[in-house]
Every structure is written in C-alpha cells, then in structure tokens.
Amino acid sequence: MSQISVATAVSAQDVARIKDSGLFDEEWYVRTYPDVAILNMDPVEHYLWLGARLNRDPSPHFSTSGYFEANPDVRDAGANPLAHYAKNGQREGRKIAPRRRAADPAAWRQGVIDVIEDAPSVLLCAHEVNPQMFGGERSFIDMLDALAQMKLNVYVAVPREGNPDYIDLLRQKSCGLYSFPYYQWTKNRGPDETSIEDFIHIIEQRNIALVYCNTIVLVDPLIAARRAGRLTAIHARELIDHDEHLCDRMGMDAAGIIKRILHQTDYVIANSAATQKLFAHSRRSFHVPNVAKVDSLDMPNVVGEHVVFGIVSSNIPKKGIADFVEVARRAEELVPNARFRVIGPENAYVEELKEAGLPGNLEFAGYADSPAEAMAQLNVVMALSHFAESFGRTVAEAQAARRPVIGYRWGAVPELIDDGQTGFLVGYKDVEAVVARVNTLCKDPGLIATMGTAGREKIIRQFSPVVLRNNLRHALSAILAEDVPLRDDETRRLTIIVPVYNAPEAVERCLTSVLAKTDLTRDRVLMINDGSSNELVQPLLDRFARHPGFHLLVNLQNMGYTRTINRGIRWAEGDDILLLNSDTIVHDGWIDGMRKVAFGTPKAGTVTAMGDNSGSFSFPVANIVNAKPDDMSHDEWAKRIIAFTQVSEPIDVPTGNGFCLYIRRDLMDHIGLFDEETFPRGYGEENDFCMRTMKAGWKNFITPHAYVFHQRTASFGGEKDGLIKTAMEIVHQRYPDYARRVKSAFGSGRMKALRALSAKAFEGAPVPTQPAWHNAPVGEPTDRPGYRAGPEKRFLSLNKMVIDWHTIRGQAPQRDPDLVSIIVCVFNQYSLTNKCLNALARHCGRAKVEFIMVNNGSDEETSGLLDSWAERDGRVTVIHNFDNLNFSLGNNIGFAASQGARVIFLNNDTEVKAGWMEPLLAPLADPEVKGTQPKLLYPDGRLQCMGVVFSGKTPLGYPIYVDEAADSPLVTQNRRFRAITGACFVTDRLRPPALL
C-alpha cells in the first residue's frame, strides 16, 4: 500500500523532536485510532497534521485537550500541544495535563461479569449515590440487571462511593466500575473539562461504543462521547413540562431543556409513555418502562380488623405527605376502621408535621430496607405526589404485591392504575375524593383482594423485569444498528417436543428427518406418545428412544394435544421449546433458521417456520399444498426457497402455528403455558398463547430462514373442522381484535413481499448470490481484535433511525416528475454558502426546483444565513440537524425531505453556471446510468474532478485528470466511471441513494 505523505503540512523538526520525546506511543495511537492505518500514514505526522485538531491523544500519558486547558496560551497560539511541550513546554515547566482521575487505580473496581471480546461495550453513568437506596438507585440496578443479561460489556461510572453495599452490588452486575467526581447539569455549572477528560479516557481504554446516562442531568459523559465519535443515550425519568423545580434548576423552560437534551444526545430512552411523548417528534426516542421486582413482591395481602393505608416515599414535601395526613384527619371519624402509615426516613419535614399535630389514626413507621418490607405493612397504597411522576415505581411495586393503589390522575400514574380495576384514580389534590375511595374499600374489603389480583397480573404483563429487558434490548439493537443477543443464547438448550398420536408412517418420516438434521449433542428430542391406539406406534418410539438425545414419555391414556405439550414443557425445565408436529419433515439447518430469529430479533417470543402445507403459513401460496418438485430432495428444495427468502426481515404476526413453533423459555416464564383447560384437544391453543404473548409485550414472528414440510392432520383426521370452529369462537370472544390483526398481518406488504420471494423458487429463477461485502463489518479495517467502535457506528445507527427508508422507497413512484430537488449539506462557511445559494438562485432558469439546505450543526452566523434565505425564497427549505452528522448522513436526511423525482447533491463550496442543469440531467434517460457529475473546476478554470478511479493500491478512490485545462481533449466528452464525486452528484427517484 502506498504511503500518504504530508511533508508540506508538518515540520520534519517537530516530527523528530516528538519521536525523541518518548511521549508519543505509535503502536497505541494506531490501535486507538484505526483510521490512521487505512491512510498508511506515519502516526506522528498524522497527529501533527490532523490528530491534535481532533483532540486525539498521542499516548495514554499525554492529553491533548488537557494540555490546552492547562496552557491556554498554547491553544490561542494555534500550536500543536505535544510539539510545543517537546520544544519549549518541558523546559518551561509546563504541566502536561490535568491528572486523569479515572486512570488512578484507586478509581477502578473490577467487576464480576466476564468481558466478551467481540461484543459492544456500554458505559452506564449514574448521577448519584445515596447512603440509602431510593428510587434512583433501584432504577439504576434494574437497568444493570437487564443489561447484564445481554451480550454486552457493561461498565459503570459513579460520582462517589457513599454506599459500600450498593457499590459492591453494581460491581457484581458489571464488568467493572469507575468512581470519580463528576457533576450534574445546573444553571450555575457548565461542562467540566477534567470530568470530560476522565470519560474520554474510559471510552478509549474500554473501547466504549455507547455512553448511556441514567438521567437527563448528566452532561460531561455526553460531551466526551461526542468528541470521541461514540453513540450516546440518556434515560429520561422526568416529566419536564410539569416540573417547575427542574426548570428552575436548569435555568430554562421545558421547551429549552428538551431542545438542549436532543442537541446533546443521540437517543432518548423514556421510562413512560408520558415521558416519551416529549421527545417523540425527534424519531430518536424509545419507551422502556420502569419495572417492579415481581418475584420478591409475590406476597399475600391479609386484611385484619383495620384496613391499613400507606404512603411509601422519601418524605419530602413534593411527595404529598401533607395530603396524606389530611386524608387521615378527615377519615378519622368517617372511616373508623381505616389506619394510615407513612413509610420513609425521619427528617426535618417529618418533625415539622409531627409538631403541627397528627390524627390518632396515623403513624410514621420509619424507613423500610426493601419494597417488600414496606408493602408487608400495608393493605392499600396511595400515590399523592404534587409533582408529575414520570413513572411511579411505588405504584408498580404496590400492585405487584397485590396492594390496590389510590392515586392522583397526574403524570404517568394513569399508565399504571386501571381505574376501578386495580385501584382508583382521582383528580389532582382532590383529597375529598381520596377519602371517598378509602371509605369504599373499608366498606367492601373484598375489593382489596380483587383489585390486588388484577393489579399483580397487570404489572407482571406490562412492568416486570423481562419487559424492561426486552424493550431495552429492542432499543439498544436499534441504537447500535445490530442485533443484541442475550448472553446465554449461545448455550441455551432446546427441547424439540414431538407429540404423537397414531399415524406411525408419518411419525417415522418425521423422526428420521429430525435425527438426521439435528445436532443432538447440543439439543434434545422429547417424543410423547399420547395414548396411541395403533399398536405400531410404541415399538417405533422405543426404537428411536435408543438414539442418544432422544427421550420418550408415555401417556397411559389420551390426554389431548395441549395437556401433552404442557407436560413436555414442564419436563424440559429451563430449555427453550420447539413444538414439532409428528407429520413434518425438516431440513438441514432448520434449527439455526429458527434460532436466527428467536435469538436475533428483539422481543421475539415465538417463531414459526414457513411451510409447504401449513394453512396461512404455507409459502408461496397460503392455504394450499405447495408441492415440491419430484426431482429434488426436501433438503435441496428448502435450501432453494431459503436462498430467495433470506433477504427478508422476519414478519411479525398475531399468531404462530404449532406445526413448527419455537418458544423462548423466558416467554413461558412470563405468561405461563398453554391453556389446557379451554383448548384440551388442540387447535386454538397456539392462537390464544400468541395473543397473550403480544399483550405481554413480546412478538410472534415467521422466519424466512426455515421451510418445514407438513402433511397436516395425520393425528386428528375428520375431527379437524369441529375442533377449529369451537376453538376459534373462543379466541374471537377473548380477543375481539384478533380477526383484524390476522387480516392486517397476513395481507401486509411485507407478507406479500416474502411470498413473492418464495415464489421465485417455483418460477425457475436463478439462485441469488450474496455480494462479498454483504456481511462485512462496519468500520475501517483494523488489525485490532474485538469489537469495532467509532463514528461510523454512530452515523449508521442514526441513518437507520432518523430516516424512514421503508416509506421513502414505497413513495418513490409518487415523487413529482417535474421537480428537481437540489440538496446542499452545510457546515459553516458563511461566505461560500451564500455564493452557492446566489448562483443557484440565478442559474436554475425556469426549472421547477427546490433547494434543501441541510444545516449540519453550523455556527450561528451560517445558520442565520440559511434561515434568511428560507424567509425570502420560497424554494428554500432548511433542515437544522442537532449535530454535525457528517456529509453522507446529512445528504441522506436532505434526500428524505425532498419531493423531486430527480435529485442533485451539491457541495456548499460550489458555484453553478448558466445552463448547468439540463446537460447534467440528460444522461439519466439511459436506465444503465446510476448517476452523473459535471466537470468540477477550480476557480482558475483548471479541472478538479471528472470522475473517480481506483488504483488497486488503496481502497480510496481519487479524481482523474486533476489540473487539466477545462477544454482539454481528455475531458470534452461524456465518460463512464465506476464512481463519481459527491461534490455534485445527480440521481433519480428510481435509484434512491444510500450514501452512508
């Protein structure tokens, strides 16, 4: 590979001086910044030329930005920090940099969770550590519990170590913990460069891909990540538009806070629907609700002589303690069998309330060490906060413990309480209404048990830890732009359950194929003879049971399909389950095709294979037999179909099909087994199970990577129609929206596309081949082992999230055929941008055009220029990006906003000339032309670019005919090139770009 030289840009004396200083670690520099290797540059020259301007460090022992902070005169002079130190700074006694506290061994606590070399690393930042654990600490642990189950390396940062037990708990659940002082965002405190340097050190040392702040009040970690080009996310736990205290603390109104958050971070993860609503317009938010530890709160609610009402809080005024005291005071005579208890720490406010006098039916019980300890003292819980709770953890914990809740209809509390079902909602500060609900429950204590049961079911379904994990995994997979599997997915065993009732010939074909096509050193097969009357069945199963990995259960009498599979699921204990009809034939790789979706798709609870004869799951045509050609084996035919369908995403549907149905164990732990009482014989049981799956926040998918052959109804014979009719009547009664969901899913465009792909196998189309780059990892090539983290990951993630590519492709035919969209990506350069716009305004003639100006985080002067152009020229639209999202993503965002059938991408440092547009658009009439560019000229008329060519010595292309005269014979005719410049690039609606 040829080496790039920048001899004219750097001083040979500086290069030699730095190399002699001992402060530049070339190996570390290349390893830390892998783009240097692809340029094949001398690392010191790169640092002098570009690295310092990017705030890159020359070694772990010298901080570029830290030297500037300690020596602002060097920064003001525009000198390279290390060159200055090596030449003058050391002799002058200058400080190298502020000491990185995070690099101090005393700041590090080794974690218990093993590091996975090829997995992304996440830095989870806490904002506080209190001597006692309150909601903030418990929420942080919930997050860490969920993250620790994923194939991620999770590191933790805390601002201090004020609670040894809590710190040790964090260490137990992470790969390691850093403790050093950093501060929260307030109106009186700006970014702290020392803290930023600490976070940059961690990001580089641990190869952090995502910096995740557990609250909106942290800023320094986000700035550090942005400087390092890494992804960022914050967990929003505040209802900003209802929190005057927060607005006062930040020194701005709610709209200003929201705008600043969206500017500082790439993504927002909201703890409630109410919180997410504040950020939903950005297309960069996710809903990941807080949870309650349902297992530790599975407790009875015994009502004695008195009904005990309670409030559990930190006992500060905004928690509504005074309202609770007033409720007790008014209920003292009206509801004599009601007692009231405050659970929380003693403090000055509590003493103030006591001194003012308390009713005789109320007591302050002190702090409880755990939610379970608090709930054990109460029958009913109240949520009377004066500020808008963004979630209401205590409300969820109370319902998980079978305690009904009386709460204000305020903040996100209504998301948790089903009024009249799991508790009561009353108007904000309506104390009289609270007293009335107290009276209702005391007159009819049976309501407490009824509401308690309903409340626990709601929390298990919507707010249990597995829901948090699934929603967070879905969010992180989108943020990281790759599937985030669970750590135990690779080792989780699968039990294939084959229920058998008669039909020995079909059973033998099925089991023979399973034996041949399944890795029985990892997985196992459970055959269950459900009281078969055919005397050939039992000897057949006995024969297969002698194979390693095959197991056999026998029902002495016919128990029915649903009871039989439930028996098998219980026998399999912690395994995932694959239900397989005994009249199927499987193919090579069938389990991998099921696992690919079950493990690789967030929220996947069940996965159904495509089939040849499986009703709605038959492909390519539903509800018929899609016959295999006689001259091809089952393996060959399945492989051919999957070669076409594998490019499809999994299709989510409201129901699976038990002919070949993969079920995750954690789904069954969440929602239970099949309903064997209602659907004992089969049919309807999987529909009911899958609808329960969806209501619990999981999804059911069809995999495009497995195709299983199915005889159908070999066991049930003529009973099928009656079984289906009865079962589906029950399903429709339980789930009134079932029919609508089925019609929508199986008639969707995605389903039609999958059927069309599978049909190609029947139509004799050639088997597609994947291009060599298809599965290539994102990022610059590097010899460094492990996961690639860097700016390219961030831009790829945002490209997928902020742009709805699916809709854009679908709407391509509707683009205006007469409109030309001109997209200009802008980052600063006020004067050049103004010249560019002036030229466009003068030289587009009478063409129907629109100018999409993408402001890529420019300075105020340039941003103002763009807005002024939009005000006076109706053809100009300005998009203000929250950050410099680089040239490619900026142009993609501009393309997403454009309406024209023909699109021109133009640099903001170009000036078009009269008559420029038509010759540029004309070649697009040839369908083989993917795009065109003009002759790009320097101001003096010499050629800058007439196409891009490749030498084979480097992956980077370079412009051809540079410095030739504009009228040179080499550049006077149209030429075809493998690539053209993005400085002025034209395409049309039929060839939408994917620039990033």
Side-chain angles (χ1 to χ4, degrees):
M1 182 182 292
S2 62
Q3 188 173 48
I4 294 178
S5 175
V6 291
T8 59
V10 301
S11 161
Q13 290 84 357
D14 283 343
V15 171
R17 193 177 290 118
I18 286 177
K19 290 189 174 186
D20 291 342
S21 72
L23 290 172
F24 195 98
D25 187 331
E26 296 191 24
E27 182 179 342
W28 179 90
Y29 189 82
V30 173
R31 188 174 67 248
T32 304
Y33 309 112
D35 59 310
V36 179
I38 193 173
L39 294 174
N40 198 26
M41 288 186 67
D42 178 89
V44 174
E45 288 188 3
H46 182 277
Y47 176 74
L48 287 166
W49 169 57
L50 181 63
R53 287 187 286 169
L54 297 176
N55 276 325
R56 294 182 171 182
D57 294 336
S59 75
H61 310 294
F62 187 99
S63 168
T64 294
S65 58
Y67 190 78
F68 281 149
E69 182 187 356
N71 307 282
D73 60 310
V74 178
R75 178 188 57 218
D76 295 343
N80 180 280
L82 184 53
H84 179 275
Y85 181 78
K87 182 178 181 180
N88 299 315
Q90 187 173 23
R91 175 172 47 80
E92 295 169 358
R94 304 260 189 163
K95 294 181 179 179
I96 290 182
R99 187 169 72 90
R100 281 177 164 173
R101 299 161 300 176
D104 189 334
W108 168 249
R109 301 285 180 273
Q110 180 64 49
V112 172
I113 304 297
D114 292 334
V115 172
I116 303 173
E117 188 70 24
D118 61 347
S121 295
V122 176
L123 178 63
L124 184 63
C125 304
H127 71 294
E128 62 183 359
V129 176
N130 289 306
Q132 295 172 318
M133 285 180 57
F134 294 113
E137 286 80 9
R138 294 208 296 273
S139 294
F140 195 79
I141 289 173
D142 289 343
M143 289 292 300
L144 201 50
D145 278 336
L147 290 168
Q149 296 178 57
M150 302 178 200
K151 191 176 178 182
L152 299 168
N153 302 313
V154 182
Y155 298 91
V156 172
V158 296
R160 62 192 182 94
E161 296 189 20
N163 186 329
D165 291 339
Y166 176 60
I167 295 298
D168 189 60
L169 188 59
L170 300 182
R171 189 184 64 81
Q172 295 283 336
K173 297 174 183 289
S174 69
C175 297
L177 177 145
Y178 290 91
S179 173
F180 57 91
Y182 54 91
Y183 307 99
Q184 299 180 21
W185 169 18
T186 69
K187 60 186 175 185
N188 298 320
R189 179 178 290 123
D192 177 57
E193 284 296 330
T194 302
S195 296
I196 293 169
E197 278 293 306
D198 286 324
F199 282 111
I200 289 176
H201 169 75
I202 297 171
I203 290 168
E204 293 177 349
Q205 183 187 46
R206 301 297 175 185
N207 193 32
I208 299 297
L210 170 66
V211 173
Y212 191 144
C213 294
N214 198 46
T215 173
I216 68 171
V217 299
L218 293 179
V219 175
D220 296 343
L222 302 176
I223 295 174
R226 186 66 57 83
R227 290 182 184 175
R230 306 304 165 91
L231 285 157
T232 57
I234 62 105
H235 208 112
R237 304 178 185 277
E238 300 83 2
L239 280 178
I240 302 166
D241 57 341
H242 288 85
D243 197 331
E244 294 180 2
H245 172 75
L246 178 68
C247 292
D248 180 66
R249 179 184 176 189
M250 303 302 189
M252 58 182 67
D253 61 15
I257 294 174
I258 292 168
K259 181 178 180 181
R260 180 164 169 176
I261 289 170
L262 289 173
H263 175 75
Q264 290 174 333
T265 190
D266 297 324
Y267 295 101
V268 175
I269 295 178
N271 70 336
S272 67
T275 307
Q276 188 191 18
K277 188 177 180 181
L278 302 175
F279 304 96
H281 66 282
S282 71
R283 292 184 59 87
R284 294 187 280 128
S285 66
F286 301 87
H287 177 203
V288 178
N290 284 4
V291 297
K293 296 292 182 64
V294 292
D295 292 341
S296 63
L297 292 165
D298 187 3
M299 55 177 43
N301 188 358
V302 180
V303 179
E305 180 183 355
H306 299 102
V307 179
V308 182
F309 296 81
I311 190 167
V312 183
S313 81
S314 54
N315 286 351
I316 56 178
K318 68 177 184 177
K319 288 291 187 179
I321 308 300
D323 288 13
F324 184 77
V325 172
E326 182 60 24
V327 170
R329 196 182 310 280
R330 296 188 189 187
E332 192 167 16
E333 293 186 7
L334 180 64
V335 193
N337 63 328
R339 294 293 181 269
F340 297 84
R341 184 170 291 155
V342 179
I343 299 176
E346 297 286 336
N347 56 30
Y349 179 62
V350 170
E351 291 303 317
E352 183 181 322
L353 291 171
K354 289 179 177 179
E355 290 175 5
L358 301 175
N361 59 354
L362 181 145
E363 67 170 324
F364 282 83
Y367 176 77
D369 288 330
S370 69
E373 182 183 329
M375 297 306 160
Q377 304 177 54
L378 309 172
N379 299 123
V380 181
V381 171
M382 293 187 183
L384 309 178
S385 289
H386 285 188
F387 75 101
E389 298 269 11
S390 66
F391 176 72
R393 169 179 289 275
T394 301
V395 176
E397 291 172 342
Q399 291 183 109
R402 298 185 176 86
R403 271 64 180 168
V405 181
I406 303 172
Y408 289 152
R409 194 184 301 275
W410 178 238
V413 169
E415 296 178 30
L416 295 164
I417 301 173
D418 293 337
D419 189 28
Q421 303 296 317
T422 67
F424 294 111
L425 291 167
V426 302
Y428 179 54
K429 293 189 177 181
D430 190 347
V431 172
E432 197 60 42
V434 177
V435 175
R437 302 309 185 272
V438 169
N439 194 22
T440 298
L441 292 174
C442 286
K443 284 183 176 180
D444 186 4
L447 273 177
I448 295 175
T450 302
M451 288 182 163
T453 299
R456 180 167 174 82
E457 290 176 355
K458 177 183 176 71
I459 298 304
I460 289 174
R461 188 172 64 249
Q462 298 181 20
F463 302 102
S464 61
V466 70
V467 176
L468 168 65
R469 186 201 70 189
N470 287 353
N471 284 11
L472 185 60
R473 181 175 168 231
H474 168 73
L476 293 181
S477 293
I479 290 170
L480 293 167
E482 60 184 88
D483 293 330
V484 177
L486 299 181
R487 278 183 171 248
D488 65 354
D489 279 348
E490 294 180 357
T491 58
R492 187 184 296 128
R493 186 172 58 184
L494 175 68
T495 292
I496 303 159
I497 297 177
V498 185
V500 176
Y501 181 74
N502 294 334
E505 296 84 1
V507 171
E508 184 170 20
R509 287 194 298 269
C510 172
L511 296 179
T512 299
S513 72
V514 171
L515 176 63
K517 311 301 180 184
T518 305
D519 180 1
L520 295 173
T521 63
R522 173 177 179 177
D523 304 315
R524 58 183 177 174
V525 179
L526 174 64
M527 307 169 293
I528 308 179
N529 184 356
D530 188 21
S532 295
S533 57
N534 189 312
E535 62 184 14
L536 298 177
V537 170
Q538 188 59 43
L540 172 68
L541 299 182
D542 288 338
R543 174 162 57 86
F544 275 96
R546 289 192 286 271
H547 291 286
F550 272 71
H551 304 266
L552 175 63
L553 295 178
V554 178
N555 296 339
L556 297 180
Q557 59 184 14
N558 184 271
M559 294 173 57
Y561 176 81
T562 312
R563 288 191 175 94
T564 295
I565 61 174
N566 277 351
R567 182 188 181 193
I569 292 169
R570 294 187 187 99
W571 177 90
E573 296 180 331
D575 293 4
D576 281 0
I577 297 298
L578 198 157
L579 301 178
L580 186 67
N581 276 14
S582 59
D583 54 355
T584 57
I585 296 176
V586 300
H587 60 84
D588 277 332
W590 71 294
I591 292 180
D592 287 341
M594 304 293 281
R595 278 195 171 116
K596 187 178 181 69
V597 176
F599 290 179
T601 308
K603 298 189 180 182
T606 75
V607 180
T608 302
M610 300 180 292
D612 66 328
N613 182 24
S614 307
S616 297
F617 296 81
S618 298
F619 285 83
V621 183
N623 301 310
I624 69 166
V625 179
N626 296 272
K628 173 185 71 65
D630 293 337
D631 61 346
M632 297 189 75
S633 69
H634 290 98
D635 277 346
E636 291 169 338
W637 188 238
K639 182 179 180 181
R640 175 173 171 79
I641 291 174
I642 294 167
F644 292 99
T645 61
Q646 65 182 346
V647 299
S648 171
E649 293 293 320
I651 310 296
D652 58 300
V653 288
T655 185
N657 188 309
F659 88 100
C660 183
L661 182 67
Y662 192 111
I663 310 172
R664 291 183 62 104
R665 174 59 65 172
D666 39 8
L667 168 63
M668 293 179 284
D669 291 342
H670 187 190
I671 70 170
L673 306 188
F674 289 85
D675 184 350
E676 60 186 43
E677 299 299 326
T678 307
F679 308 98
R681 298 294 310 281
Y683 289 104
E685 80 292 337
E686 75 266 33
N687 311 82
D688 173 76
F689 183 86
C690 290
M691 287 299 289
R692 284 160 47 207
T693 294
M694 292 176 62
K695 288 187 177 298
W698 299 72
K699 289 186 177 183
N700 310 292
F701 287 98
I702 298 175
T703 175
H705 307 289
Y707 191 89
V708 172
F709 303 89
H710 186 206
Q711 180 176 331
R712 299 196 79 184
T713 62
S715 298
F716 287 104
E719 293 183 80
K720 172 185 172 183
D721 292 342
L723 290 169
I724 290 177
K725 183 175 183 297
T726 301
M728 295 316 296
E729 286 175 354
I730 298 171
V731 170
H732 289 299
Q733 183 178 11
R734 284 186 176 181
Y735 312 103
D737 60 342
Y738 176 77
R740 177 187 61 78
R741 287 179 177 272
V742 169
K743 182 178 180 180
S744 175
F746 284 89
S748 69
R750 296 177 65 201
M751 183 69 75
K752 292 175 182 177
L754 180 60
R755 293 195 185 282
L757 288 170
S758 62
K760 291 182 178 181
F762 290 79
E763 296 165 356
V767 174
T769 57
Q770 295 289 351
W773 50 262
H774 182 72
N775 293 316
V778 174
E780 303 291 357
T782 175
D783 293 331
R784 181 177 181 176
Y787 185 83
R788 295 179 180 181
E792 68 280 355
K793 291 279 187 179
R794 178 177 180 239
F795 297 133
L796 177 63
S797 167
L798 290 167
N799 183 65
K800 291 183 176 181
M801 282 300 302
V802 303
I803 302 173
D804 185 355
W805 287 109
H806 178 76
T807 299
I808 288 172
R809 292 186 183 98
Q811 294 178 347
Q814 284 76 53
R815 283 179 168 259
D816 187 340
D818 299 320
L819 179 66
V820 177
S821 298
I822 301 174
I823 298 166
V824 184
C825 195
V826 178
F827 179 66
N828 298 333
Q829 296 184 308
Y830 174 97
S831 178
L832 290 174
T833 302
N834 196 34
K835 290 179 180 179
C836 176
L837 278 165
N838 274 308
L840 286 171
R842 289 196 308 270
H843 298 308
C844 285
R846 296 184 179 182
K848 185 178 179 181
V849 297
E850 64 173 350
F851 306 136
I852 308 293
M853 308 300 295
V854 182
N855 181 12
N856 230 355
S858 297
D859 54 41
E860 290 186 10
E861 182 183 33
T862 308
S863 299
L865 170 71
L866 297 177
D867 288 336
S868 68
W869 267 94
E871 289 174 4
R872 66 177 185 263
D873 189 331
R875 298 173 296 178
V876 176
T877 298
V878 180
I879 300 171
H880 293 286
N881 286 341
F882 67 96
D883 186 31
N884 185 348
L885 299 182
N886 93 0
F887 181 77
S888 296
L889 179 52
N891 276 303
N892 282 0
I893 290 170
F895 176 77
S898 66
Q899 301 295 321
R902 292 168 295 176
V903 182
I904 301 175
F905 297 92
L906 191 67
N907 273 16
N908 68 323
D909 59 354
T910 58
E911 294 182 56
V912 300
K913 302 298 182 182
W916 73 287
M917 189 184 302
E918 286 305 318
L920 198 57
L921 297 172
L924 293 178
D926 183 345
E928 292 187 1
V929 175
K930 305 302 182 184
T932 66
Q933 74 155 84
K935 285 191 290 188
L936 205 62
L937 304 178
Y938 289 115
D940 64 3
R942 291 178 299 113
L943 193 72
Q944 182 180 6
C945 181
M946 179 63 181
V948 177
V949 295
F950 300 85
S951 67
K953 298 178 181 179
T954 171
L956 299 176
Y958 59 90
I960 196 169
Y961 304 135
V962 175
D963 288 336
E964 288 286 339
D967 58 356
S968 166
L970 296 172
V971 296
T972 54
Q973 295 186 11
N974 289 347
R975 299 271 307 271
R976 294 198 175 205
F977 292 92
R978 290 172 57 195
I980 55 180
T981 180
C984 184
F985 169 83
V986 185
T987 187
D988 67 18
R989 65 182 174 189
L990 300 179
R991 289 159 279 209
L995 299 181
L996 185 65

